Amino acid sequence: MTYAIETQGLTRRFGRFTAVDSVSLTVPEGTVMGLLGPNGAGKTTLIRMLLGALAPTAGTGRVLGHDLRTGAEAIRQRVGYMSQRFSLYRDLTVAENLAFFGRVYGLRGDELARRQEELLAWAGLLDQRRTIAGDLGGGMRQRLAFACAILHRPSLLLLDEATSGVDPMSRRRFWDLIYGLADGGTTVLVTTHYMDEAAHCDRLAMMNAGRLVAVGTPRELQAAHGDGGGLEQVFVKLARVSAEA
Amino acid sequence: MVQRILALAQKEFIQIRRDRRTLAMMVALPILWLILFGYAFSFDVQEVAVALVDESGTAAGGAVARAVRSYERFTLVDLAAPSETAIREAIFRGEVTMGIVIPPGYGEQPDTQLQVLLDGASLFAAQTAARLLPGALEPAQAELRADLEARTRVEVEARIQELAEARRAELLAQVPPIMRAQVEEMLARAHGPSPDEVTIAAPDPPSFIPAITTLYNPDLRTANVMIPGLLGLVVMFMTTLMTALGVVRERELGTMEQLVVTPLRPLELMLGKILPYLLVGAVDFALVFAAGLYLFDLTFAGNLPLFLLLSLLLVLTTLGLGLLISTVSQNQQQAMQLAMFAMLPQILLSGFIFPLDAMPKAIKAIAYLLPFTHFVPIAQGMFIKGQGLDLLWPQVTVLAAYAVVVVGLATARFRKRIA
Ligand SMILES: Nc1ncnc2c1ncn2[C@@H]1O[C@H](COP(=O)(O)OP(=O)(O)O)[C@@H](O)[C@H]1O
Ligand SMILES: [Mg+2]
């Protein structure tokens, strides 16, 4: 089995504080991995290290076969990222945002125009192409960010709280898009606070206080830690256990 | 690589175009400063209030008084009881900038001099008055010379007449009485020396006016000196501030987080960010330059391509400074404050507004540490005098060194901060 993500003892400290503590994680290619954990668990920090945007303090990792420390450029060409905060240009239109990121990823001319149309249709934003991104509603904004993250057809998608603060209808639509990509072979790592979303993932990784505390399919985790309850119960238990430890 | 830089630059342009505040600043700032430094901030005083007291009773004194009264840029202020004391009081009250006292016996008795009193509290008016005075007195000089010539001529004529009479009497005395009538008739017909033929060797009256020739800016207009420096100032302000804000805005709004995970390399990111603001600087440069030529009637005396090249050195420094500021600022407000902090001393101490020669040693030492201080003499020297590298090389060397160091430092810091 080949892994899209493979880390060994990945650690990141900020001063004396350890945000990510010796995380060893593997994500098989073509799967949807849910990354769970309370706020401050270190999910975002881990993702930023996987992107090569943040240097690890210790440990090693490979993403799509490239070493985190030396292969950041190669990684970025093939990874799509949606940050937990809307990070597109609010003063550019939907089309301008797409065009900008497309060109940054090396698309040009007809190819860029075709891809732009394709994604506008895919994200249901055809009528909003001239709308200033800052004026979009939450769901559309997120779909635009998603579209920008997959312009360059990445093999790995890192989605950091992509659906937080979005109404249920929009979340459902968003997940349909994720499944669509996963079916096409894209590996997806997604952090979320919604347990219904977590239940839809192939596998789950649970973090707390910087550590990886449990990994498995939703069913496995439920059996091991659920105490007869749902994933909610798993989450609460694992968050508490580590907090007490 | 080029495509990515251009994509970033183009995106930046769209943002500039949409941001009314930035656009307004880009256009309004040079215009505002042109008005401020070109017109309002002008140190040229058009009319000077002058009081005159003539105690001379001499022709020379009269001529000086007439010249002062008829000079167009002097506005005569009447004193109730003309005296030096009255002048001092009028200056105290601020009614008069310059008082002129013509002492008794002026021009005839030795050691008599015009006494000129200036109001140092009205600094620029007083300077203008002192500068104008020689020109104002020129007609008096001319009048006195003509007068002296005329008087000398009358004296010489009288002397010649006298000599001729004496010579005739002498001749006649030697002639026997019978022949006197005949000789007298001959002498009358003979051509005596006419006064017109005698060159009058009267000495010129001593000139009391120094001959002042002002080179390069004959009207001593403030605008001529201000505009070249203003070119640099506008460009420095816009490029430093806008580059700093442009980068920090990405960080503040979270878009930087998206940019750093794209294939954009730090250097490309930096160039893509700098390029648009370089162009903004160029537009403002052109705006002020054109205003200097067409609004203020300046002529550019130097080598224009060289000047553009040297201005580029300044711009590299200020763009680098903007980048440096962006690497230590968390938000736009901080960046704005830091940029002001970096630029204000350069505006005040560069010699652009206050002369460097007038600064105390310690301040001067600080002034020479600021890059803009080295640009001002380049701009003024090339613009007004047409100086070249043979004279300006020390300033150019320092400025080039600054460009290299600041851009190098900014690049290093920027890479570290982004990666
Ligand atoms: N740049 C940073 N400097 C200092 N502390 C940081 C930094 N980034 C994150 N942290 C800290 O690391 C911890 C983990 O943060 P994060 O990875 O954002 O958690 P999560 O995404 O799981 O909510 C938090 O306590 C946060 O305050
Ligand atoms: Mg987070």
Side-chain angles (χ1 to χ4, degrees):
Chain A
M1 179 179 271
T2 48
Y3 296 108
I5 299 173
E6 249 183 303
T7 73
Q8 267 109 43
L10 208 58
T11 301
R12 172 69 202 206
R13 279 188 274 274
F14 294 108
R16 291 171 59 193
F17 177 75
T18 306
V20 171
D21 192 356
S22 195
V23 168
S24 300
L25 177 71
T26 51
V27 179
E29 260 180 9
T31 61
V32 178
M33 168 71 100
L35 187 58
L36 308 184
N39 281 332
K43 306 180 295 289
T44 301
T45 307
L46 176 62
I47 287 180
R48 297 194 62 213
M49 283 193 282
L50 295 177
L51 284 160
L54 195 67
T57 311
T60 57
R62 296 180 80 74
V63 172
L64 301 173
H66 301 283
D67 189 279
L68 283 188
R69 291 171 209 269
T70 55
E73 263 182 42
I75 292 174
R76 282 174 199 168
Q77 277 289 358
R78 297 183 53 209
V79 176
Y81 170 58
M82 250 183 93
S83 86
Q84 58 189 18
R85 185 178 164 200
F86 182 68
S87 54
L88 300 185
Y89 295 96
R90 285 157 214 264
D91 49 352
L92 296 191
T93 64
V94 169
E96 284 163 351
N97 266 299
L98 279 168
F100 169 65
F101 285 102
R103 291 176 68 195
V104 164
Y105 279 106
L107 300 177
R108 58 172 79 197
D110 286 347
E111 193 195 358
L112 176 61
R114 224 176 313 118
R115 185 75 177 136
Q116 212 173 323
E117 285 311 303
E118 201 177 304
L119 286 171
L120 282 173
W122 175 80
L125 292 169
L126 279 170
D127 295 337
Q128 279 76 32
R129 66 173 73 221
R130 282 185 223 296
T131 308
I132 299 285
D135 295 341
L136 290 176
M140 288 194 190
R141 237 189 237 197
Q142 246 126 347
R143 291 204 299 280
L144 173 61
F146 200 4
C148 285
I150 62 163
L151 262 166
H152 57 300
R153 306 176 201 278
S155 319
L156 171 66
L157 256 179
L158 303 173
L159 307 176
D160 197 358
E161 292 186 33
T163 55
S164 64
V166 173
D167 66 82
M169 273 302 291
S170 294
R171 282 209 289 136
R172 163 74 51 86
R173 196 163 168 188
F174 199 87
W175 273 90
D176 287 342
L177 296 178
I178 294 178
Y179 291 137
L181 288 172
D183 289 345
T186 308
T187 312
V188 181
L189 179 72
V190 56
T191 77
T192 180
H193 286 301
Y194 299 106
M195 288 311 132
D196 59 328
E197 289 184 355
H200 288 133
C201 297
D202 296 325
R203 284 157 59 80
L204 294 174
M206 174 82 192
M207 280 184 79
N208 195 5
R211 291 173 169 279
L212 193 63
V213 289
V215 184
T217 64
R219 202 180 290 267
E220 284 166 4
L221 289 190
Q222 232 165 306
H225 308 280
D227 300 337
L231 274 176
E232 205 91 32
Q233 187 59 34
V234 177
F235 184 91
V236 170
K237 185 181 169 194
L238 288 176
R240 190 181 333 114
V241 164
S242 319
E244 282 162 4
Chain B
M1 168 171 171
V2 174
Q3 200 206 349
R4 289 194 292 261
I5 294 173
L6 287 181
L8 194 62
Q10 192 192 358
K11 178 224 73 174
E12 204 76 22
F13 271 124
I14 300 176
Q15 290 184 304
I16 293 173
R17 212 181 57 213
R18 288 226 174 107
D19 181 9
R20 294 231 170 127
R21 264 191 321 173
T22 305
L23 261 188
M25 187 158 94
M26 203 177 125
V27 178
L29 188 99
I31 294 176
L32 193 77
W33 281 3
L34 270 169
I35 294 171
L36 191 70
F37 291 107
Y39 291 118
F41 221 60
S42 167
F43 301 134
D44 308 331
V45 177
Q46 272 315 308
E47 298 235 320
V48 182
V50 173
L52 181 71
V53 175
D54 183 5
E55 300 170 341
S56 67
T58 61
V64 167
R66 269 193 301 284
V68 168
R69 284 207 184 88
S70 58
Y71 189 64
E72 54 184 0
R73 289 183 66 180
F74 289 165
T75 311
L76 264 288
V77 175
D78 287 326
L79 300 172
S83 67
E84 193 195 315
T85 324
I87 287 179
R88 285 179 187 275
E89 277 167 12
I91 289 179
F92 175 72
R93 285 193 302 273
E95 293 163 5
V96 163
T97 303
M98 177 167 66
I100 302 170
V101 182
I102 311 173
Y106 174 72
E108 289 177 6
Q109 286 165 31
D111 295 333
T112 50
Q113 262 189 334
L114 290 184
Q115 193 191 351
V116 178
L117 297 151
L118 285 169
D119 179 8
S122 314
L123 182 62
F124 299 114
Q127 280 174 355
T128 305
R131 205 178 74 225
L132 291 177
L133 190 58
L137 292 181
E138 227 159 79
Q141 174 87 22
E143 190 185 330
L144 283 179
R145 180 182 292 132
D147 183 53
L148 194 61
E149 259 173 29
R151 265 189 293 149
T152 315
R153 170 185 283 268
V154 171
E155 264 170 42
V156 170
E157 270 177 10
R159 186 94 185 95
I160 289 170
Q161 200 63 40
E162 201 178 301
L163 279 173
E165 288 297 325
R167 190 106 181 86
R168 206 168 69 122
E170 200 181 318
L171 263 170
L172 287 178
Q174 290 168 5
V175 175
I178 313 169
M179 298 180 70
R180 260 183 211 161
Q182 205 179 346
V183 170
E184 216 167 329
E185 199 192 27
M186 281 167 61
L187 279 175
R189 254 185 284 140
H191 222 265
S194 135
D196 288 333
E197 284 163 12
V198 180
T199 34
I200 299 166
D204 264 354
S207 173
F208 53 81
I209 305 168
I212 297 175
T213 311
T214 306
L215 304 172
Y216 304 117
N217 180 12
D219 303 334
L220 290 177
R221 287 195 317 161
T222 315
N224 292 21
V225 184
M226 287 308 237
I227 302 279
L230 189 59
L231 269 176
L233 185 63
V234 167
V235 169
M236 172 171 77
F237 194 89
M238 292 305 288
T239 50
T240 303
L241 192 63
M242 297 204 43
T243 308
L245 290 182
V247 176
V248 172
R249 191 171 48 229
E250 302 252 9
R251 188 170 302 133
E252 197 177 8
L253 298 180
T255 50
M256 190 61 97
E257 189 164 345
Q258 199 68 45
L259 282 187
V260 298
V261 301
T262 66
L264 266 172
R265 297 190 193 96
L267 201 67
E268 296 166 357
L269 185 55
M270 193 175 110
L271 287 176
K273 274 293 191 185
I274 278 181
L275 221 61
Y277 298 114
L278 182 67
L279 226 80
V280 167
V283 167
D284 278 342
F285 185 94
L287 211 71
V288 178
F289 200 91
L293 297 194
Y294 301 111
L295 241 54
F296 293 93
D297 294 322
L298 268 65
T299 36
F300 183 79
N303 179 340
L304 190 57
L306 179 65
F307 184 55
L308 293 180
L309 205 72
L310 297 183
S311 301
L312 193 64
L313 283 184
L314 175 76
V315 174
L316 284 178
T317 311
T318 57
L319 286 169
L321 188 65
L323 281 180
L324 275 179
I325 288 170
S326 79
T327 60
V328 292
S329 306
Q330 292 307 318
N331 52 50
Q332 295 189 68
Q333 198 182 343
Q334 268 183 24
M336 180 95 90
Q337 283 167 355
L338 262 174
M340 289 301 167
F341 184 75
M343 279 186 291
L344 209 62
Q346 310 214 57
I347 298 174
L348 293 177
L349 300 184
S350 58
F352 166 62
I353 297 179
F354 307 113
L356 277 174
D357 294 328
M359 290 174 194
K361 267 214 179 77
I363 304 283
K364 215 163 153 180
I366 297 172
Y368 278 112
L369 283 178
L370 307 171
F372 193 52
T373 307
H374 303 275
F375 179 75
V376 172
I378 293 177
Q380 291 179 345
M382 293 194 74
F383 219 108
I384 309 172
K385 296 185 173 175
Q387 289 177 346
L389 280 181
D390 50 333
L391 281 168
L392 295 170
W393 65 267
Q395 285 87 352
V396 173
T397 310
V398 176
L399 206 59
Y402 261 112
V404 170
V405 169
V406 174
V407 168
L409 218 66
T411 311
R413 284 272 322 168
F414 194 79
R415 280 188 139 149
K416 220 173 137 195
R417 182 72 212 249
I418 296 301

